[in-house]
Amino acid sequence: MRAWEVHDGVLAVRDVPDAAAEAGAVVVAVSHAGVCGSDLPKLRAPRSFDLPLRWRPGHEIVGTVAGGTLVAVDPLVPCGLCEACRDGRTHLCSGLRRIGWDLPGGLAEQVVAPVGNLHSIAPEHASVAVLADPMAVAIHGLRCSGLGRPGRLAVVGAGTVGLLTAAYGALIGWDVTVVHRGANLDERAAGVDARLATLDEATTSTPFDVVVDAASGSSPAPLALALDLVRDGGTVVVQNAYHPGVRLGTPLRDIFRRSVRLVGSFSFCRRDGNDFGLALAALGSSRAAFGSLLVDVGDLEAPESTVDRVEERRRLVVHLRGGGTTGE
């Protein structure tokens, strides 16, 4: 089969052995796979990360299993036995493996996934279901961070996770503002029930009860901004996957004096529910609203030019076979 693979620091489409499933897992014939912004630094500079010798990316996956059932694949593969797993905090499993990171990913014609990681979906949801992973990240940040009743919420960053966080926040009752750097968001943010504010507009507004840092993480500036925007006694939720080596430069005494709660929110979990399943339900109920976040780039070929287009700040969908279309 054909698959994206990084070997010796070089990304290429290569012929690799067909996927073979062991007990408890199945082979998924991939119809759609997303290229995520979090993949970008690994694809650009793979030697800066602890990756498998032959890394096959792709953790946003939709496809079919034997019998023709269409499924979305939860990429987190926990051990299921440790204390964190028993409590549903599967993202904190010490033995956690992830499809598209530690395990071969879905930017391929086939991928292997545990049966328990498959979620059946309707054919008309095929494209938008690629967003289930980032939507689950968005849901986890608001659902599992102990934020209390909805109030004023600011989201720093207008990438996919930021806009999905804003959309879910509005869905559950928050008054949402998306803080951006002046980029044209009219099309991408069309389905999000939130006001848009530039940095200058946000910093002169009334402080927010909760601020989610969902920006890109090559410098500590987004977190510093989030701390400026939150009210005394408020909460900052960090969804930003900061690059290795980025350090917080804000005086820590300010956080202490202001009683600001700083919460890290990594990935998503299955505690008191299932973030991934909730994400699919939210996306399916308003799939037309999220089509503007997706661009269909066709098949697996030309990975370098596909990676270049990640800079458009949308989720790119590699569309291998059948299963619907995406919105431009």
Side-chain angles (χ1 to χ4, degrees):
M1 69 174 183
R2 301 280 281 168
W4 282 24
E5 186 179 71
V6 174
H7 181 55
D8 286 338
V10 177
L11 170 65
V13 180
R14 295 186 171 89
D15 290 313
V16 301
D18 287 347
E22 299 180 352
V26 296
V27 174
V28 178
V30 179
S31 64
H32 300 76
V35 183
C36 172
S38 68
D39 291 327
L40 186 60
K42 302 178 185 70
L43 292 167
R44 293 290 194 206
R47 289 191 174 95
S48 299
F49 295 86
D50 184 17
L51 298 170
L53 178 63
R54 292 184 177 273
W55 175 49
R56 294 190 206 157
H59 59 275
E60 301 171 346
I61 308 162
V62 172
T64 55
V65 294
T69 300
L70 188 67
V71 297
V73 179
D74 177 345
L76 303 187
V77 184
C79 74
L81 301 173
C82 67
E83 181 180 355
C85 284
R86 291 195 302 271
D87 193 36
R89 295 175 292 116
T90 45
H91 61 309
L92 299 180
C93 170
S94 60
L96 181 69
R97 296 178 298 163
R98 298 161 294 175
I99 296 170
W101 286 287
D102 317 288
L103 302 171
L107 284 160
E109 294 179 319
Q110 300 174 333
V111 69
V112 172
V115 173
N117 286 53
L118 306 182
H119 295 251
S120 298
I121 57 174
E124 62 269 24
H125 296 172
S127 295
V128 76
V130 169
L131 294 171
D133 176 273
M135 177 61 100
V137 170
I139 289 174
H140 181 74
L142 297 181
R143 187 179 80 91
C144 300
S145 298
L147 303 181
R149 63 171 180 256
R152 298 183 70 248
L153 168 68
V155 179
V156 175
T160 303
V161 171
L163 291 177
L164 291 174
T165 298
Y168 184 71
L171 182 67
I172 61 175
W174 289 85
D175 177 15
V176 185
T177 297
V178 176
V179 183
H180 63 95
R181 291 176 292 189
N184 185 355
L185 296 175
D186 290 347
E187 183 181 355
R188 287 193 298 116
V192 179
D193 183 12
R195 66 181 57 85
L196 304 178
T198 65
L199 272 62
D200 288 342
E201 292 168 339
T203 52
T204 56
S205 71
T206 302
F208 295 87
D209 301 306
V210 174
V211 181
V212 175
D213 171 10
S216 57
S218 57
S219 87
L223 182 52
L225 174 61
L227 289 166
D228 285 344
L229 295 178
V230 74
R231 66 168 173 80
D232 291 356
T235 300
V236 171
V237 178
V238 183
Q239 287 179 330
N240 192 335
Y242 278 97
H243 295 193
V246 177
R247 297 290 185 267
L248 177 63
T250 300
L252 296 181
R253 185 172 180 82
D254 289 354
I255 297 174
F256 154 73
R257 185 197 61 77
R258 297 176 58 209
S259 294
V260 170
R261 200 164 66 103
L262 190 59
V263 180
S265 181
F266 165 67
S267 194
F268 50 89
C269 74
R270 302 172 188 172
R271 187 177 189 181
D272 299 325
N274 186 311
D275 293 325
F276 195 87
L278 291 170
L280 286 169
L283 291 166
S285 67
S286 2
R287 67 181 186 278
F290 299 111
S292 60
L293 295 176
L294 300 169
V295 176
D296 194 330
V297 296
D299 59 23
L300 288 167
E301 304 307 321
E304 289 289 351
S305 63
T306 297
V307 169
D308 288 342
R309 293 187 66 188
V310 175
E311 298 295 352
E312 294 180 9
R313 297 171 64 79
R314 303 192 195 189
R315 274 304 194 274
L316 303 184
V317 181
V318 175
H319 186 179
L320 276 72
R321 59 175 72 77
T325 60
T326 57
E328 281 289 324

